[in-house]
Amino acid sequence: MDSAPGEPPPLVTADTPPPPPPAPPSRYESQKRRDWNTFLQYLRNHKPPLTLARCSGAHVIEFLKYLDQFGKTKVHVTGCPYFGHPNPPSPCACPLKQAWGSLDALIGRLRAAYEENGGRPESNPFGARAVRIYLREVREGQAKARGIPYEKKKRKRSTTVSTTTVISDGGEVSTSLANVSTVVTRESDGGGGHGVINVSVASTSATNTTPSVVATATTV
């Protein structure tokens, strides 16, 4: 019941339902927060201690190598008889390391967390060229050692639009595209979302009165 002008609003009774609790963070957001806290703790324990402002790509690579001691992926050394064997028949003494895919995903989360916590994109150490090179070397090295090649991912999207050209008796021309197809292909090496996007557009006329046009654009 609404209160009259000049009267206080009605009191909220115990029967009034409480507001709904905020939605819990997603699994990705929770993992990103844990990764960020782990990295900050690593900087504090560094000898000598490091601040985030002084952190560089070289420090990020040191952090990735530090995490290898907690890895669970067997990476055969060159002298191991199972080097390059995807399914070794028996155990060996080769070390356990972090899998390349885990490190790549970790860098993606830390790169986003750095900017979400006030870091500038142009000074993001997780996006440094040295880090990308290191991840590529880990990927290639583990592929050879484990005999498991990492193939490039491709995503394609195609669209076809049919159009016509009409010339009326009065000489008015109405033109639309004919047989236009667009194919977008993204080739990714799996490293931090970087890759090549190829866009191809082909246009042909149904009556062959308009020449074909093919355009290709490449973006890195």
Side-chain angles (χ1 to χ4, degrees):
M1 180 176 181
D2 296 337
S3 59
E7 294 183 1
L11 297 176
V12 178
T13 64
D15 296 334
T16 303
S26 65
R27 181 179 179 183
Y28 170 81
E29 292 296 331
S30 299
Q31 184 64 55
K32 182 171 60 176
R33 186 181 301 111
R34 289 194 295 268
D35 294 336
W36 182 246
N37 291 334
T38 299
F39 182 73
L40 294 181
Q41 184 64 42
Y42 170 80
L43 295 183
R44 288 191 291 269
N45 295 337
H46 193 275
K47 303 296 182 183
L50 281 172
T51 61
L52 188 61
R54 295 178 52 212
C55 182
S56 65
H59 297 123
V60 173
I61 294 175
E62 289 180 3
F63 174 66
L64 297 180
K65 292 180 179 179
Y66 159 79
L67 293 178
D68 273 336
Q69 61 184 307
F70 309 108
K72 299 180 181 180
T73 299
K74 178 76 70 173
V75 179
H76 303 289
V77 298
T78 305
C80 178
Y82 302 137
F83 182 85
H85 199 302
N87 298 300
S90 60
C92 64
C94 292
L96 296 176
K97 295 186 176 183
Q98 293 285 348
W100 163 77
S102 299
L103 295 179
D104 183 64
L106 171 65
I107 289 299
R109 292 190 297 268
L110 290 175
R111 185 173 182 175
Y114 177 86
E115 298 179 12
E116 290 172 2
N117 285 274
R120 295 179 300 174
E122 60 271 17
S123 61
N124 193 329
F126 302 100
R129 182 173 181 269
V131 176
R132 297 197 300 269
I133 293 175
Y134 176 77
L135 287 176
R136 183 168 66 244
E137 292 175 348
V138 171
R139 181 192 65 191
E140 295 173 353
Q142 291 191 5
K144 293 179 181 179
R146 303 177 62 202
I148 304 176
Y150 296 101
E151 299 179 354
K152 293 182 177 180
K153 299 178 181 179
K154 293 185 177 181
R155 294 184 298 175
K156 293 185 177 181
R157 182 177 70 252
S158 60
T159 304
T160 301
V161 180
S162 298
T163 59
T164 58
T165 300
V166 178
I167 303 177
S168 65
D169 294 339
E172 296 179 355
V173 179
S174 175
T175 305
S176 55
L177 297 176
N179 299 328
V180 178
S181 62
T182 303
V183 178
V184 179
T185 303
R186 178 180 178 87
E187 298 182 1
S188 174
D189 61 2
H194 298 278
V196 178
I197 300 178
N198 297 316
V199 181
S200 300
V201 180
S203 176
T204 58
S205 172
T207 59
N208 293 328
T209 58
T210 303
S212 300
V213 178
V214 177
T216 301
T218 303
T219 305
V220 178

